[in-house]
Amino acid sequence: MVLTACVTTQAQSPAEGAKHLYYERYASAEKSFRQAVTQDPGNGDAWYGLARSLVLRKKTDEARSQFWSAPESARDEAMFNAAYGYVLLAQDKKDSASTYFNEALDRTRHKNVGVLLAVAQAQIQNKGGDPAYAQELIERAKKT
């Protein structure tokens, strides 16, 4: 029974983090997403949530160093690339961010709704983003 509770808690960590983000509890979201990437380094959604929570807390340098220390297995995930692009765009490194966004989109052949929306969200939420490109991605996601 205890084992079941532990497994359930682990599985809920990214969802819990998303809930904290929704309610603008960024420190709690960061904690949940850190736990999730520790438990499953290949979870691209958890990396994206961690990126958002750190950026929203104005911890972009910490976010960038966190991504540099990520295991190779995580770097193969499209959502990981979208997350790192999010961090770079928050640091106003548009060209570098674009490289990571394009890699994420290419890996999914522009057909993964989650990745399309993650890149669009990054474009909308960062001052250096391109809202017109975000709208194009959202329209593409609707058709997918």
Side-chain angles (χ1 to χ4, degrees):
M1 188 170 212
V2 173
L3 181 60
T4 305
C6 289
V7 171
T8 304
T9 301
Q10 290 175 357
Q12 291 178 350
S13 204
E16 188 177 310
K19 182 178 177 183
H20 289 307
L21 278 177
Y22 178 80
Y23 288 108
E24 298 179 1
R25 294 187 293 231
Y26 304 130
S28 297
E30 178 186 341
K31 182 179 176 185
S32 292
F33 288 121
R34 279 190 190 279
Q35 179 184 12
V37 299
T38 299
Q39 293 168 353
D40 180 9
N43 186 331
D45 292 329
W47 281 104
Y48 187 75
L50 179 59
R52 285 191 59 219
S53 62
L54 288 168
V55 168
L56 291 167
R57 294 187 72 204
K58 310 287 189 231
K59 297 167 110 181
T60 57
D61 290 335
E62 183 180 332
R64 191 165 181 195
S65 69
Q66 180 77 37
F67 278 80
W68 276 107
S69 66
E72 281 298 317
S73 62
R75 296 170 193 243
D76 292 335
E77 295 293 321
M79 192 61 90
F80 179 90
N81 287 298
Y84 191 52
Y86 187 104
V87 171
L88 292 170
L89 191 57
Q91 291 184 320
D92 205 29
K93 298 179 186 317
K94 295 176 193 178
D95 293 337
S96 297
S98 179
T99 299
Y100 282 91
F101 290 145
N102 289 335
E103 187 172 332
L105 293 167
D106 289 346
R107 283 185 180 189
T108 61
R109 297 186 192 135
H110 293 43
K111 294 183 186 232
N112 182 303
V113 173
V115 172
L116 288 165
L117 294 178
V119 174
Q121 184 175 46
Q123 297 292 331
I124 292 167
Q125 291 182 341
N126 288 291
K127 68 179 178 178
D130 181 353
Y133 181 54
Q135 183 63 38
E136 179 185 320
L137 293 172
I138 291 168
E139 292 302 319
R140 188 175 297 167
K142 285 181 186 178
K143 295 176 184 175
T144 301

